[in-house]
Amino acid sequence: MKLPILAPDGTAARVMLAFLATAGLFYVNIMPAIVSGLIDSLNFSRADAGLVASLNIYGAAVGAFVAVFLVTRVPWRPAAAVLLVALMLLDGLSIIVTTPEVMLPLRALHGGVGGLLVGISFAVIARVSQVHKTFGYLLFVQFGLGGFGVMLLPPLAPLYGTAALFLSLIAFSAVSLVMLSMLGDYPIEKPDPDKMVAPIQSRPLASALLAVFLFQAANMGLYAYIIDLGQQAGLDIKFISPTLGISAWIGLLGSGLVIVFSTRFGRTLPLVFAIGLTTLATFALHFSQMAAIFWLANVLVGVTWAFSIAYLLGICAEFDKAGKMAALGGFASKTGLASGPFVAAMILSDEGYGQLINIAVVALVLCLLACLFPARLLDKQS
């Protein structure tokens, strides 16, 4: 039975595009479960587990960068189908791997395939009307299902090993493959000179890309280790896992607000408010030994992460409608997501997470400064 083709700008199509873009990087949303599972089930060191996470996302950054040059040259739908099948095969192979020496290059390759899929998906999203709204749906899917992942998977890893983690990724890719057949063509429109950002405005684009990089690096550097951070602070996994799941679900509020607001209140004011809150909540992790503060900090970061990154990626996408700058924004995002755990793995010591928290706070402040230029520029043009 042939599935129906959805209206290209309809809500259902936006949701399915969100699933497609999430499939290539869903492991990021359950990264604490993966890092914790590698440590607990396969006896990886903290550094090795962090490097697996980092290389997985660095591979995605490479894939997203390659996508910048391919999005206008290859038919996106067949390419996405091939990439989804490849992801399922690589996740299947990951189930039988038990050593860091093999896991590291395998997950790097997986990241490259997933990053290419995300880059292609971002380019297609850039061709949809109200791009901020579609990115809002994207974050809604990521945080909603990511909440289930970080709540349900960590307790399963000691019982079933890493198979529980990688089988969940395979299932997500399979569902996305079915949804792919229901999406329209999304052809590249001819440029409209009245809607194009002038080439001279490469500086605000560079600022937007830098803001995306810093925001993702600051958040993922801590998020990848958030289970271990909580445990070192004296909290129990039975408290930490539900906390992370709830924070991801409450984070749906952030992506939901993007869907509702779009650019009704501009971009600058929402970003100043949200990134400011992210910074305060990140600093509060210094006091994670207090369960209420750990819970509240994670909930706030969940809301503001989903909210802020949707606007930041939307800003990148608005620099062209063919999708190249959206794919480039995806590259900056993946590079940031990879660099956070990489830096964390290099600086973590037995002394705890205080230094890492401080570095994340500084990165978030710099992110806020970097995003003001492009956000204000686009607000004026609107």
Short mmCIF file of all heavy atoms in Angstrom, two decimals, residues 36-64:
data_model
loop_
_atom_site.label_atom_id
_atom_site.label_comp_id
_atom_site.label_asym_id
_atom_site.label_seq_id
_atom_site.Cartn_x
_atom_site.Cartn_y
_atom_site.Cartn_z
N SER A 36 27.25 6.56 29.97
CA SER A 36 27.11 5.78 31.19
C SER A 36 27.11 4.28 30.89
O SER A 36 27.71 3.47 31.63
CB SER A 36 25.82 6.17 31.92
OG SER A 36 25.63 5.42 33.08
N GLY A 37 26.45 3.88 29.80
CA GLY A 37 26.40 2.47 29.43
C GLY A 37 27.76 1.92 29.05
O GLY A 37 28.10 0.77 29.39
N LEU A 38 28.55 2.71 28.33
CA LEU A 38 29.90 2.26 27.97
C LEU A 38 30.77 2.07 29.22
O LEU A 38 31.58 1.14 29.29
CB LEU A 38 30.55 3.27 27.02
CG LEU A 38 29.92 3.39 25.63
CD1 LEU A 38 30.59 4.52 24.85
CD2 LEU A 38 30.05 2.09 24.86
N ILE A 39 30.59 2.97 30.18
CA ILE A 39 31.37 2.88 31.41
C ILE A 39 30.93 1.67 32.25
O ILE A 39 31.75 0.87 32.71
CB ILE A 39 31.24 4.17 32.24
CG1 ILE A 39 31.90 5.35 31.48
CG2 ILE A 39 31.90 4.02 33.61
CD1 ILE A 39 31.65 6.70 32.12
N ASP A 40 29.62 1.52 32.42
CA ASP A 40 29.10 0.50 33.33
C ASP A 40 29.05 -0.90 32.70
O ASP A 40 29.34 -1.89 33.37
CB ASP A 40 27.69 0.88 33.80
CG ASP A 40 27.69 2.15 34.63
OD1 ASP A 40 28.74 2.47 35.21
OD2 ASP A 40 26.63 2.83 34.69
N SER A 41 28.68 -0.98 31.39
CA SER A 41 28.49 -2.29 30.77
C SER A 41 29.76 -2.84 30.12
O SER A 41 29.99 -4.05 30.14
CB SER A 41 27.38 -2.20 29.71
OG SER A 41 26.16 -1.80 30.28
N LEU A 42 30.57 -1.97 29.54
CA LEU A 42 31.77 -2.44 28.84
C LEU A 42 33.05 -2.06 29.57
O LEU A 42 34.14 -2.30 29.05
CB LEU A 42 31.79 -1.86 27.41
CG LEU A 42 30.61 -2.27 26.51
CD1 LEU A 42 30.77 -1.65 25.13
CD2 LEU A 42 30.51 -3.79 26.41
N ASN A 43 32.92 -1.43 30.74
CA ASN A 43 34.08 -1.05 31.55
C ASN A 43 35.03 -0.09 30.82
O ASN A 43 36.25 -0.14 31.03
CB ASN A 43 34.85 -2.30 32.01
CG ASN A 43 34.02 -3.16 32.94
OD1 ASN A 43 33.34 -2.65 33.84
ND2 ASN A 43 34.04 -4.47 32.72
N PHE A 44 34.47 0.77 29.96
CA PHE A 44 35.28 1.82 29.36
C PHE A 44 35.67 2.82 30.45
O PHE A 44 34.90 3.05 31.39
CB PHE A 44 34.50 2.56 28.27
CG PHE A 44 34.41 1.82 26.96
CD1 PHE A 44 34.53 0.45 26.89
CD2 PHE A 44 34.20 2.52 25.77
CE1 PHE A 44 34.45 -0.24 25.68
CE2 PHE A 44 34.11 1.85 24.56
CZ PHE A 44 34.23 0.47 24.51
N SER A 45 36.85 3.42 30.33
CA SER A 45 37.20 4.51 31.22
C SER A 45 36.35 5.73 30.89
O SER A 45 35.75 5.81 29.81
CB SER A 45 38.68 4.85 31.08
OG SER A 45 38.94 5.43 29.80
N ARG A 46 36.31 6.69 31.82
CA ARG A 46 35.55 7.92 31.55
C ARG A 46 36.10 8.63 30.32
O ARG A 46 35.34 9.17 29.52
CB ARG A 46 35.60 8.86 32.76
CG ARG A 46 34.73 8.42 33.91
CD ARG A 46 34.48 9.55 34.88
NE ARG A 46 35.70 10.12 35.42
CZ ARG A 46 35.76 11.24 36.12
NH1 ARG A 46 34.68 11.93 36.36
NH2 ARG A 46 36.91 11.68 36.59
N ALA A 47 37.43 8.63 30.18
CA ALA A 47 38.04 9.30 29.02
C ALA A 47 37.66 8.59 27.73
O ALA A 47 37.31 9.24 26.74
CB ALA A 47 39.56 9.35 29.19
N ASP A 48 37.72 7.25 27.72
CA ASP A 48 37.38 6.50 26.50
C ASP A 48 35.91 6.69 26.13
O ASP A 48 35.56 6.86 24.95
CB ASP A 48 37.68 5.02 26.69
CG ASP A 48 39.16 4.71 26.59
OD1 ASP A 48 39.90 5.52 25.98
OD2 ASP A 48 39.59 3.66 27.11
N ALA A 49 35.04 6.64 27.13
CA ALA A 49 33.61 6.82 26.86
C ALA A 49 33.34 8.22 26.31
O ALA A 49 32.55 8.40 25.37
CB ALA A 49 32.80 6.59 28.14
N GLY A 50 34.01 9.22 26.89
CA GLY A 50 33.85 10.58 26.39
C GLY A 50 34.38 10.74 24.98
O GLY A 50 33.79 11.45 24.15
N LEU A 51 35.48 10.06 24.66
CA LEU A 51 36.05 10.15 23.31
C LEU A 51 35.16 9.45 22.28
O LEU A 51 35.07 9.89 21.14
CB LEU A 51 37.46 9.55 23.29
CG LEU A 51 38.54 10.40 23.98
CD1 LEU A 51 39.87 9.64 24.02
CD2 LEU A 51 38.72 11.74 23.26
N VAL A 52 34.53 8.36 22.68
CA VAL A 52 33.56 7.72 21.78
C VAL A 52 32.45 8.70 21.43
O VAL A 52 32.08 8.86 20.25
CB VAL A 52 32.97 6.44 22.42
CG1 VAL A 52 31.78 5.94 21.61
CG2 VAL A 52 34.03 5.35 22.49
N ALA A 53 31.91 9.36 22.45
CA ALA A 53 30.87 10.36 22.22
C ALA A 53 31.38 11.49 21.34
O ALA A 53 30.70 11.93 20.41
CB ALA A 53 30.38 10.91 23.56
N SER A 54 32.59 11.94 21.63
CA SER A 54 33.15 13.07 20.88
C SER A 54 33.39 12.71 19.42
O SER A 54 33.01 13.46 18.51
CB SER A 54 34.45 13.52 21.55
OG SER A 54 34.98 14.64 20.90
N LEU A 55 34.02 11.56 19.17
CA LEU A 55 34.29 11.16 17.78
C LEU A 55 33.01 10.89 17.02
O LEU A 55 32.93 11.15 15.82
CB LEU A 55 35.19 9.92 17.77
CG LEU A 55 36.67 10.16 18.05
CD1 LEU A 55 37.43 8.84 18.01
CD2 LEU A 55 37.27 11.14 17.04
N ASN A 56 32.00 10.36 17.71
CA ASN A 56 30.71 10.15 17.06
C ASN A 56 30.16 11.46 16.51
O ASN A 56 29.69 11.54 15.36
CB ASN A 56 29.73 9.56 18.08
CG ASN A 56 28.64 8.70 17.46
OD1 ASN A 56 28.01 7.90 18.13
ND2 ASN A 56 28.40 8.85 16.18
N ILE A 57 30.30 12.53 17.30
CA ILE A 57 29.75 13.81 16.86
C ILE A 57 30.72 14.55 15.94
O ILE A 57 30.30 15.28 15.04
CB ILE A 57 29.38 14.68 18.07
CG1 ILE A 57 28.54 13.88 19.07
CG2 ILE A 57 28.57 15.89 17.63
CD1 ILE A 57 28.22 14.62 20.35
N TYR A 58 32.04 14.36 16.12
CA TYR A 58 32.98 14.94 15.15
C TYR A 58 32.75 14.34 13.77
O TYR A 58 32.83 15.03 12.74
CB TYR A 58 34.42 14.71 15.59
CG TYR A 58 34.98 15.81 16.46
CD1 TYR A 58 35.58 15.52 17.68
CD2 TYR A 58 34.92 17.14 16.07
CE1 TYR A 58 36.09 16.52 18.49
CE2 TYR A 58 35.43 18.16 16.87
CZ TYR A 58 36.01 17.84 18.08
OH TYR A 58 36.51 18.83 18.88
N GLY A 59 32.47 13.05 13.73
CA GLY A 59 32.11 12.43 12.45
C GLY A 59 30.89 13.09 11.85
O GLY A 59 30.82 13.34 10.64
N ALA A 60 29.91 13.40 12.72
CA ALA A 60 28.71 14.09 12.25
C ALA A 60 29.03 15.47 11.71
O ALA A 60 28.42 15.94 10.74
CB ALA A 60 27.69 14.19 13.39
N ALA A 61 30.00 16.14 12.33
CA ALA A 61 30.40 17.47 11.85
C ALA A 61 30.99 17.37 10.45
O ALA A 61 30.70 18.20 9.58
CB ALA A 61 31.41 18.09 12.81
N VAL A 62 31.82 16.36 10.23
CA VAL A 62 32.40 16.15 8.89
C VAL A 62 31.29 15.88 7.88
O VAL A 62 31.26 16.44 6.78
CB VAL A 62 33.41 15.00 8.91
CG1 VAL A 62 33.89 14.67 7.49
CG2 VAL A 62 34.60 15.35 9.80
N GLY A 63 30.35 15.00 8.26
CA GLY A 63 29.23 14.70 7.37
C GLY A 63 28.39 15.93 7.06
O GLY A 63 27.98 16.14 5.91
N ALA A 64 28.14 16.76 8.07
CA ALA A 64 27.35 17.97 7.86
C ALA A 64 28.08 18.95 6.95
O ALA A 64 27.45 19.64 6.14
CB ALA A 64 27.06 18.63 9.21
#
